[in-house]
Amino acid sequence: MNRRVLLVLAAAQFLMVLDQAVMNVSISQLVKDFDTDVTTIQAVITFYSLVMAALMITGGKLGDKWGRRRAFTIGMVIYACGSGLTAVSWSVGVLALGWSVLEGVGAALVMPAMVALVAGNFEGRQRAAAYGVLGGVAGAGIAVGPILGGWCTTYLSWRVVFAGEVVVAILILLGVRAISESRPARSPQLDGVGAGLSALGLALVVYGVLKSSTWGWLQPRNSPVEPFGFSLTLFVIGAGALVLVGFVKWQHRRVAHGQDPLVRLELFRIASLRSGVNMFLAQNLILMGIFFTIPLYLQVVQGYDAFETGLRMLPVSVTLFATAILAPRLLQNVAPRTVVRAGLGVLLLACLGLLSVIDPQIDTLEFGIAMAVLGIGMGLLASQLGNVVQSSVGGEERSEAGGLQFTGQQLGAALGTALMGAIVIGGLASGFAAKVESNPQVSDAVKDQAGISLESGIQFVPADDVRSAATDAGVPPKEVDAVVDSYSEAQIAALKAGLLLAAFIVILSYFFTGGLPAQPLETADDPVPAAT
């Protein structure tokens, strides 16, 4: 095995994963540094994943057109520029430009090229082992991210992480020459209209989900317009769905006219690829949703700083890394379908475990065990899915398959952050309103005052902030205690609602595993049979 090539690609994988883990444990500090709120930072995190999801397929096509190594190099340069701008960002807008846009564009070029370069530089068992290493390194990024981000945020600055990323990107660029170029026999045409339609459709769907916590789902809360008396949320999501239908029709039209589509839709007839992409989406939807929810619990409810938050998230990172590395070796004679289904079973146990330990007073041991179990489940999925997707196609389609794989991953990450944030913030608003309304210790005047505040929007803030706001508003001390208690109870209930949603998604994901290979993947380079 060419260790130098694997080192360069693994370093790139590590860099791509590190960002999201760093940002999630730095939410509270970002809110303070930019004088903003949790919902705005949630939007920036979601936008990062959305940019990648919208551009991954296009990035894969550009890799086919330019050559995968060249696309990898260009993407890494753009990514480094984005990291540098993020490190010196002076406003939320600049943060979004550097992190969400430039790094997102760079990653959209790097990641499809990366998986195609693995397939082009390794064969047989070495290729399977290389994908296992990349899965393990992704786990390492998740492992290091909370600790590194938490330590830097607490004792230095979160900006130091992004400055360090520039250095790592430069080292990766110095090692690119060791990688053999990989490109298909024919340079494909680039479907610009298809790229625009897919990006717009995905953006509208995710944006609608993201804004649901502010606008409401059906009953309008702060919706800018109220079509037919309903919230704008479902109309935006519906518009996105219509644009995606138009995208599919456009792809069929290009094929009918003998032109290259952005996505060859017949690839979805390959059962293993279809199931693999669906599982990537589900995996990241669950993981990033939980990784948005848990830091809120640790930092806002428990009052931990970023470093303490990273320490308490360490068990999931360590077990994910270890499982993703060891599973391909220990379970090489077990069918991917079996391994993935076992992983989903472990994930369900982890979600139920977290539901039982999310309380006002944290039990550190039980919380750590639940997070460790979560990492094992995620590691089992990570150990299989990359090889399943790439083994389902031949060499000509690997870059396109990589684009679909990472589109699924990043769309899952964007939806996970947006949907979990919407459920948590929306659950907090409705739960707080219900508890205040039913609390006999709260006067009608204070209930009306709370209702007016809710109409202007609610934020996930520490209970002490609610106490200060109520006191400053002239609420009597006894009623302040009642309001704060109601808010604290609503916070816990909202967090549990988010975790319950994650458990439901795990159960639903089981029904998308049927197309995964029912036999161990062979060591040969031939793709698995195309089943429908």
Side-chain angles (χ1 to χ4, degrees):
M1 181 179 291
N2 190 325
R3 296 181 183 275
R4 186 178 177 186
V5 171
L6 187 58
L7 178 63
V8 172
L9 296 176
Q13 173 72 83
F14 178 84
L15 209 55
M16 301 297 108
V17 172
L18 183 68
D19 270 7
Q20 287 169 313
V22 169
M23 280 299 194
N24 279 315
V25 298
S26 303
I27 290 174
S28 295
Q29 190 60 49
L30 289 164
V31 168
K32 293 178 182 177
D33 286 355
F34 293 109
D35 191 23
T36 185
D37 52 51
V38 169
T39 304
T40 301
I41 299 303
Q42 174 203 1
V44 173
I45 294 173
T46 301
F47 191 39
Y48 174 64
S49 298
L50 177 58
V51 169
M52 285 192 279
L55 299 178
M56 278 293 174
I57 298 173
T58 304
K61 283 291 184 182
L62 290 173
D64 290 342
K65 191 174 184 67
W66 298 340
R68 281 77 178 254
R69 189 177 72 176
R70 186 181 180 191
F72 180 91
T73 303
I74 293 171
M76 191 58 65
V77 170
I78 296 173
Y79 192 91
C81 292
S83 294
L85 182 59
T86 303
V88 299
S89 57
W90 55 90
S91 68
V92 172
V94 176
L95 176 72
L97 175 61
W99 190 57
S100 303
V101 177
L102 290 180
E103 288 195 37
V105 170
L109 285 169
V110 168
M111 295 172 82
M114 180 179 66
V115 293
L117 288 169
V118 169
N121 283 263
F122 300 96
E123 298 179 354
R125 287 195 183 277
Q126 287 191 352
R127 190 181 72 197
Y131 282 124
V133 169
L134 290 187
V137 168
I142 295 173
V144 172
I147 294 295
L148 179 62
W151 186 86
C152 287
T153 300
T154 302
Y155 299 108
L156 297 172
S157 169
W158 54 268
R159 299 174 187 274
V160 172
V161 178
F162 292 93
E165 284 190 350
V166 176
V167 177
V168 175
I170 292 171
L171 294 175
I172 291 171
L173 289 169
L174 292 175
V176 163
R177 288 184 177 275
I179 303 173
S180 298
E181 179 61 281
S182 170
R183 68 170 73 229
R186 186 181 69 87
S187 177
Q189 301 168 333
L190 185 61
D191 177 12
V193 173
L197 288 173
S198 65
L200 178 61
L202 292 173
L204 285 172
V205 169
V206 175
Y207 184 70
V209 173
L210 177 67
K211 296 300 290 185
S212 64
S213 61
T214 303
W215 296 345
W217 284 98
L218 288 174
Q219 185 70 27
R221 198 160 51 235
N222 290 298
S223 183
V225 295
E226 300 176 8
F228 309 107
F230 294 103
S231 166
L232 188 60
T233 297
L234 293 184
F235 291 91
V236 173
I237 295 174
L242 287 176
V243 172
L244 291 176
V245 170
F247 165 73
V248 171
K249 291 184 178 297
W250 176 256
Q251 298 306 286
H252 287 308
R253 181 180 183 279
R254 284 185 66 88
V255 171
H257 285 77
Q259 299 172 307
D260 290 332
L262 183 69
V263 179
R264 287 186 298 119
L265 298 176
E266 64 267 22
L267 285 177
F268 286 104
R269 297 175 186 168
I270 304 173
S272 55
L273 183 142
R274 186 173 63 243
S275 289
V277 171
N278 284 333
M279 289 310 303
F280 267 121
L281 188 152
Q283 177 193 30
N284 266 32
L285 200 160
I286 297 163
L287 181 63
M288 297 314 298
I290 291 176
F291 266 42
F292 178 79
T293 304
I294 293 300
L296 284 181
Y297 170 65
L298 295 174
Q299 294 183 352
V300 177
V301 177
Q302 297 300 326
Y304 295 133
D305 62 29
F307 182 55
E308 291 169 328
T309 298
L311 285 176
R312 281 159 181 79
M313 294 180 69
L314 184 60
V316 65
S317 307
V318 171
T319 53
L320 196 163
F321 174 63
T323 305
I325 287 289
L326 295 176
R329 300 177 183 177
L330 300 178
L331 303 175
Q332 59 183 334
N333 295 320
V334 180
R337 184 191 299 174
T338 303
V339 177
V340 169
R341 286 178 172 176
L344 290 175
V346 175
L347 283 178
L348 183 59
L349 289 176
C351 290
L352 296 177
L354 287 171
L355 274 168
S356 69
V357 300
I358 298 295
D359 284 312
Q361 297 299 320
I362 187 171
D363 185 314
T364 304
L365 178 60
E366 290 184 4
F367 180 81
I369 291 172
M371 293 295 279
V373 174
L374 176 68
I376 292 171
M378 284 294 170
L380 288 172
L381 269 62
S383 71
Q384 304 296 311
L385 296 180
N387 199 29
V388 165
V389 169
Q390 288 296 310
S391 296
S392 65
V393 297
E396 294 292 307
E397 298 92 9
R398 280 174 182 154
S399 201
E400 189 167 355
L404 292 173
Q405 167 185 329
F406 286 114
T407 297
Q409 275 188 314
Q410 297 307 322
L411 181 59
L415 284 173
T417 304
L419 184 59
M420 202 68 75
I423 293 297
V424 171
I425 301 298
L428 175 62
S430 60
F432 180 50
K435 289 181 182 298
V436 168
E437 185 63 33
S438 63
N439 195 326
Q441 299 179 22
V442 180
S443 66
D444 290 341
V446 173
K447 289 177 182 178
D448 292 341
Q449 200 171 353
I452 293 171
S453 298
L454 285 172
E455 284 297 321
S456 63
I458 190 170
Q459 299 300 329
F460 205 97
V461 297
D464 287 345
D465 289 4
V466 176
R467 182 180 298 279
S468 299
T471 301
D472 292 343
V475 177
K478 287 185 179 180
E479 292 190 57
V480 168
D481 291 339
V483 169
V484 171
D485 288 344
S486 295
Y487 183 82
S488 298
E489 291 171 7
Q491 276 188 323
I492 296 298
L495 291 168
K496 288 190 173 185
L499 292 172
L500 192 61
L501 173 66
F504 175 76
I505 294 169
V506 171
I507 295 171
L508 188 64
S509 300
Y510 180 87
F511 297 100
F512 292 92
T513 61
L516 297 174
Q519 301 294 328
L521 291 178
E522 300 294 330
T523 60
D525 286 337
D526 295 332
V528 296
T532 57

